[in-house]
Amino acid sequence: SQQGEEDPQALSIQEGENATMNCSYKTSINNLQWYRQNSGRGLVHLILIRSNEREKHSGRLRVTLDTSKKSSSLLITASRAADTASYFCATDAPFQGGSEKLVFGKGTKLTVNP
Amino acid sequence: NAGVMQNPRHLVRRRGQEARLRCSPMKGHSHVYWYRQLPEEGLKFMVYLQKENIIDESGMPKERFSAEFPKEGPSILRIQQVVRGDSAAYFCASSPMDRTEAFFGQGTRLTVV
């Protein structure tokens, strides 16, 4: 079953506006990561936030994590047409025996109109 | 340091044939993950391997699918007797020992005709 669920499923904004995407998950985690996927391409790692962190920045990206609500948000400020892509959150789901795997949500499809 | 290399990028197979997808992890990475992505969907975990060991195959279909990561050479995802429903993009990711970040390949797009 899906661990992470992003919302909204699709988001369309104008260039220069901010874009906020949310991710909710079900079980406790060690880390939460955000990835970007351009149409027909592989995934690009954006940012990792650990369970003991509340906020992290990387350039125009800001990620927050609320472990009490089991949710995270990704904010892209001053968006550009090149930010058009699908954005996925991924959590590491503990697996018996101590190994973890990344479990992905269905993604938010962001369109930034020039 | 080359990234995760997957080949082929595109693979067309007729129903009933075998598909072999290859993944060379980043240098120094000992963990490999395979994911499947259907159009407009997220990535579904299939299998997690370390060298010569399958750690977690909870996402693999029980039949026709197998994966290996030998001591030498790339990881292989093998699909026997392919069916139309196997058409998807298959992504491989690798991570270092501490598993802090997974790097993805460009994927193999399998089309079953």
Side-chain angles (χ1 to χ4, degrees):
Chain A
S1 61
Q2 289 293 114
Q3 163 76 319
E5 292 287 339
E6 293 93 340
D7 87 273
Q9 288 189 342
L11 179 61
S12 182
I13 60 174
Q14 295 300 120
E15 213 166 20
E17 293 180 338
N18 296 341
T20 300
M21 288 159 273
N22 303 298
C23 167
S24 59
Y25 56 92
K26 295 173 186 172
T27 65
S28 60
I29 60 170
N30 294 327
N31 306 307
L32 186 144
Q33 305 185 48
W34 284 91
Y35 286 82
R36 183 182 75 199
Q37 185 181 35
N38 288 78
S39 180
R41 306 295 298 273
L43 276 79
V44 175
H45 185 268
L46 296 177
I47 200 163
L48 177 150
I49 186 164
R50 300 184 189 281
S51 60
N52 62 353
E53 297 176 311
R54 292 296 167 259
E55 189 170 312
K56 207 159 181 182
H57 296 255
S58 177
R60 294 184 296 113
L61 305 181
R62 174 177 163 246
V63 168
T64 63
L65 179 64
D66 187 336
T67 52
S68 66
K69 293 181 180 177
K70 292 187 170 58
S71 67
S72 172
S73 68
L74 170 67
L75 168 68
I76 304 174
T77 59
S79 63
R80 305 167 183 166
D83 295 329
T84 295
S86 291
Y87 292 82
F88 296 91
C89 70
T91 55
D92 59 341
F95 171 68
Q96 65 179 52
S99 67
E100 291 115 359
K101 58 182 184 263
L102 280 180
V103 179
F104 285 81
K106 291 185 179 180
T108 292
K109 198 167 187 176
L110 173 66
T111 302
V112 181
N113 301 299
Chain B
N1 186 6
V4 177
M5 304 300 292
Q6 288 188 248
N7 68 81
R9 290 291 305 278
H10 300 275
L11 182 62
V12 179
R13 284 286 177 266
R14 295 188 187 280
R15 280 179 293 172
Q17 291 185 319
E18 178 181 288
R20 278 185 181 242
L21 289 64
R22 294 175 185 74
C23 169
S24 296
M26 287 182 69
K27 189 176 180 181
H29 285 192
S30 55
H31 300 254
V32 166
Y33 310 81
W34 284 94
Y35 290 84
R36 177 164 64 178
Q37 185 179 36
L38 295 170
E40 306 300 320
E41 295 279 330
L43 280 77
K44 294 282 178 64
F45 169 79
M46 298 182 75
V47 63
Y48 163 35
L49 310 104
Q50 294 178 22
K51 284 281 186 182
E52 299 184 279
N53 283 310
I54 296 175
I55 306 302
D56 180 355
E57 57 182 347
S58 57
M60 287 277 272
K62 293 285 186 285
E63 296 175 349
R64 303 188 297 108
F65 285 71
S66 62
E68 62 176 9
F69 188 16
K71 190 176 179 182
E72 301 290 338
S75 174
I76 306 286
L77 178 67
R78 183 178 174 213
I79 311 172
Q80 294 178 290
Q81 298 177 313
V82 296
V83 301
R84 287 248 172 91
D86 297 332
S87 295
Y90 292 82
F91 288 96
C92 166
S94 72
S95 66
M97 282 288 288
D98 62 5
R99 287 184 271 104
T100 50
E101 181 181 333
F103 293 84
F104 280 80
Q106 291 296 305
T108 293
R109 275 147 190 84
L110 172 67
T111 303
V112 179
V113 297

